[in-house]
Amino acid sequence: MEKFKRLKNEGNDFVKMGEYEEAANKYSECMKLNTEECTVYTNRALCYLKLYKYEEAKRDCDHVLQIEDSNVKAFYRRALAYKGLQVRKKNM
């Protein structure tokens, strides 16, 4: 659990610095230790949104909503992912 917290905090620090790829990698490492912790999925979804990886962001939010069907951050970030996917589709 200690390693999980350290990785999550490192991910949070990367987000604060705008280093979204590095943050996403830290959150992915967290998921190897605990697949049920929703915050790392919503945090990684935020990183994916910043990196224009909308499908990946949507997938993380879907996972959270299977565990916590009323997670507001997951609903919000999934909506942003859908919006990003629609804009990309429209521009093609």
Side-chain angles (χ1 to χ4, degrees):
M1 207 58 186
E2 190 64 37
K3 184 177 181 183
F4 177 87
K5 282 184 182 179
R6 183 178 51 79
L7 288 168
K8 183 179 171 193
N9 288 334
E10 288 174 9
N12 293 344
D13 291 340
F14 278 124
V15 167
K16 290 173 191 166
M17 293 185 291
E19 302 288 336
Y20 300 110
E21 194 71 50
E22 289 83 355
N25 291 335
K26 292 294 180 184
Y27 296 135
S28 295
E29 288 182 50
C30 286
M31 292 167 192
K32 292 175 187 172
L33 301 172
N34 182 349
T35 59
E36 300 298 307
E37 179 64 41
C38 293
T39 56
V40 291
Y41 284 92
T42 55
N43 289 358
R44 189 172 73 170
L46 170 68
C47 296
Y48 285 151
L49 289 169
K50 297 288 187 179
L51 296 166
Y52 307 104
K53 295 181 178 182
Y54 302 117
E55 191 59 49
E56 292 88 339
K58 181 186 137 347
R59 197 175 312 125
D60 278 355
C61 293
D62 288 342
H63 179 82
V64 170
L65 292 169
Q66 287 177 347
I67 298 168
E68 274 182 31
D69 62 358
S70 61
N71 188 301
V72 176
K73 273 189 185 177
F75 273 118
Y76 178 69
R77 291 183 179 157
R78 186 170 70 173
L80 292 176
Y82 275 123
K83 184 177 178 182
L85 288 168
Q86 287 176 338
V87 168
R88 181 181 292 158
K89 193 175 182 181
K90 195 167 105 176
N91 289 337
M92 289 179 141

